[in-house]
Amino acid sequence: MEVPFIDLKRQYAYLKDEISLAISSVMENADFVLGKGVSDFESSLAAACGVKHCVAVNTGTSALVIALRTMRIGPGDEVLLPAHTFIATAEAILSVGAIPVFVDIADGSYAIDLIDAEKKVTQKTKAIIPVHIYGQMVPMDGVMVFAKLHNLQVLEDACQAYGAFQNGKQPGAFGVAAAFSFYPGKNLGAYGEGGALITNDDRIAMEARALRNHGCYERYVHVMLGYNMRMDGIQGAILSVKLKYISHWNKLRNEHAAYYREQLSGVGDVTVETIANGNISNMHLFVIQTAQRDALQHFLIQKGVSTGIHYPVSLHLQKALEHLDYSVGDLPRTEAVCKRILSLPMFPEMTREEMDYTIACIKEFYVSY
Ligand SMILES: Cc1ncc(COP(=O)(O)O)c(C=O)c1O
């Protein structure tokens, strides 16, 4: 049996008619860039997240870059972020000329460690980016207290966390802004690239709209240097269709996760991600840990089960970031989990048969190992 890590074709088959209609309407109105498809999506997303503004852009990375620009983060400023994230979080900081300062993850969690963050605050520290990785929100009350104490702005990297909750609140309820990614493999995925910035701050929203469109409020009148980071009309229309189903899909993901947890309990040395009290994850990824990670992954490949590693090399040890001068041993908890984590197949349309087969293969591995 073959079990894919994710299967976007199944979801498309289910949505095909609705998606075709949505795309046709963009084509018929020649609304290719921004336009009604995008502005309708922005209104629906802002309402769903309980925030005042949504600014749709072309990628999650762009949402982070634009947010940092509106926060006036620039050359010489330091920004705290966990090293346990996708490189885009650090790229966004570097692309505005600021310096990423890597922080370890907290014990027993994948969230940024505020004790380590405290040691890294300097006169130059201007902001902190908690990353809601794998679909679970970072304990935000602690982050907000920390940020207030050190006079830092908070930008939530929610690129993996659309539909996550913490004590009834969603990403965007805490920081000055939050960034989403709609990369196809995300739980709310476009059929191409996509991203959005959400905020309750009128100035940030207004500037973000200008920055995504070459820095103009009025056509061909450029008041600042911006970017071409606009969302395509087709992506907006597709995302509006998918937004109607996302709560249901996130619920299915959570049901799959509950089944994995139940079935994998006590198997080998496998541990599963702890979901903190008050949190509802969107279960973008289902990540286990084991000392035999590489051997298990290899065994599963041979059995036809695809898995992923998010991420195998911590950011502070990436070649592309070596100029930041970190070394092995600087962030011990992050380095340790990079060797142990494995993401199992997870998508809403996954069948019980596929899960049972995956679980049986994992059990078989530990019997023979
Ligand atoms: C944590 C995190 N931040 C930022 C991004 C960047 O999003 P995008 O790929 O849409 O630019 C991603 C996407 O993979 C991500 O997972």
Side-chain angles (χ1 to χ4, degrees):
M1 184 173 187
E2 295 284 318
V3 183
F5 180 62
I6 177 174
D7 186 353
L8 298 174
K9 291 185 200 145
R10 285 186 219 179
Q11 196 173 77
Y12 176 61
Y14 180 74
L15 297 174
K16 197 169 176 184
D17 294 344
E18 258 187 284
I19 295 279
S20 298
L21 274 176
I23 293 178
S24 300
S25 138
V26 174
M27 297 303 188
E28 277 153 21
N29 294 315
D31 237 355
F32 301 119
V33 178
L34 297 176
K36 188 168 165 12
V38 173
S39 56
D40 285 352
F41 171 63
E42 289 178 327
S43 310
S44 310
L45 192 102
C49 294
V51 292
K52 273 172 87 176
H53 307 284
C54 167
V55 181
V57 291
N58 58 344
T59 64
T61 310
S62 300
L64 290 167
V65 170
I66 287 181
L68 288 167
R69 284 279 308 271
T70 64
M71 289 158 67
R72 312 271 192 264
I73 303 294
D77 295 337
E78 293 178 359
V79 179
L80 300 169
L81 77 162
H84 191 65
T85 176
F86 182 57
I87 195 164
T89 321
E91 283 173 331
I93 297 167
L94 285 159
S95 79
V96 300
I99 304 158
V101 176
F102 292 118
V103 177
D104 213 345
I105 48 174
D107 199 13
S109 128
Y110 297 111
I112 190 165
D113 179 23
L114 296 177
I115 299 169
D116 191 40
E118 180 92 49
K119 295 180 199 148
K120 294 179 173 162
V121 173
T122 71
Q123 291 292 323
K124 293 181 187 162
T125 314
K126 294 286 155 49
I128 179 167
I129 307 187
V131 178
H132 303 318
I133 198 153
Y134 305 154
Q136 178 173 202
M137 290 176 71
V138 171
M140 286 305 294
D141 288 345
V143 172
M144 297 315 288
V145 169
F146 176 87
K148 195 163 180 205
L149 188 70
H150 297 289
N151 199 21
L152 309 179
Q153 298 183 81
V154 178
L155 168 59
E156 296 175 65
D157 183 336
C159 283
Q160 299 188 9
Y162 182 81
F165 283 86
Q166 186 164 94
N167 299 317
K169 291 182 177 169
Q170 298 180 71
F174 299 92
V176 290
F180 291 124
S181 164
F182 307 123
Y183 179 75
K186 294 291 196 292
N187 67 328
L188 179 59
Y191 287 166
E193 304 280 356
L197 173 160
I198 56 169
T199 183
N200 283 313
D201 186 309
D202 298 342
R203 178 194 64 81
I204 286 184
M206 196 175 73
E207 280 187 30
R209 282 181 200 287
L211 282 166
R212 77 174 168 184
N213 193 19
H214 298 290
C216 50
Y217 293 104
E218 205 185 315
R219 204 162 200 197
Y220 304 132
V221 182
H222 305 275
V223 291
M224 57 190 146
L225 287 179
Y227 314 90
N228 177 354
M229 291 180 170
R230 301 171 295 228
M231 179 179 271
D232 284 348
I234 286 177
Q235 302 308 339
I238 289 167
L239 286 163
S240 285
V241 171
K242 288 194 160 198
L243 201 54
K244 294 190 274 178
Y245 298 93
I246 188 70
S247 304
H248 175 59
W249 290 332
N250 286 349
K251 191 166 158 278
L252 290 176
R253 286 173 178 276
N254 270 280
E255 284 169 15
H256 298 334
Y259 190 61
Y260 268 142
R261 280 174 202 286
E262 178 198 303
Q263 295 293 316
L264 292 174
S265 149
V267 175
D269 67 340
V270 170
T271 55
V272 299
E273 185 188 3
T274 310
I275 305 298
N277 266 347
N279 270 1
I280 302 174
S281 170
N282 68 18
M283 278 298 150
H284 168 54
L285 294 173
F286 187 83
V287 177
I288 62 168
Q289 285 194 37
T290 167
Q292 280 88 44
R293 193 269 311 278
D294 292 344
L296 175 61
Q297 185 176 41
H298 185 69
F299 183 82
L300 291 174
I301 289 171
Q302 285 172 336
K303 293 281 180 183
V305 177
S306 298
T307 56
I309 299 174
H310 302 89
Y311 298 92
V313 180
S314 167
L315 287 194
H316 70 293
L317 301 177
Q318 295 280 357
K319 172 125 184 62
L321 301 174
E322 69 187 359
H323 61 286
L324 297 172
D325 253 353
Y326 287 82
S327 318
V328 174
D330 284 347
L331 301 174
R333 281 194 287 267
T334 302
E335 291 167 33
V337 301
C338 285
K339 297 192 184 91
R340 295 173 52 88
I341 45 178
L342 187 68
S343 310
L344 299 185
M346 171 55 81
F347 51 100
E349 301 77 14
M350 192 167 54
T351 63
R352 186 49 72 89
E353 201 191 357
E354 287 171 322
M355 292 192 75
D356 280 337
Y357 179 72
T358 303
I359 291 157
C361 292
I362 296 173
K363 288 182 176 164
E364 188 186 332
F365 170 79
Y366 285 102
V367 168
S368 57
Y369 195 75

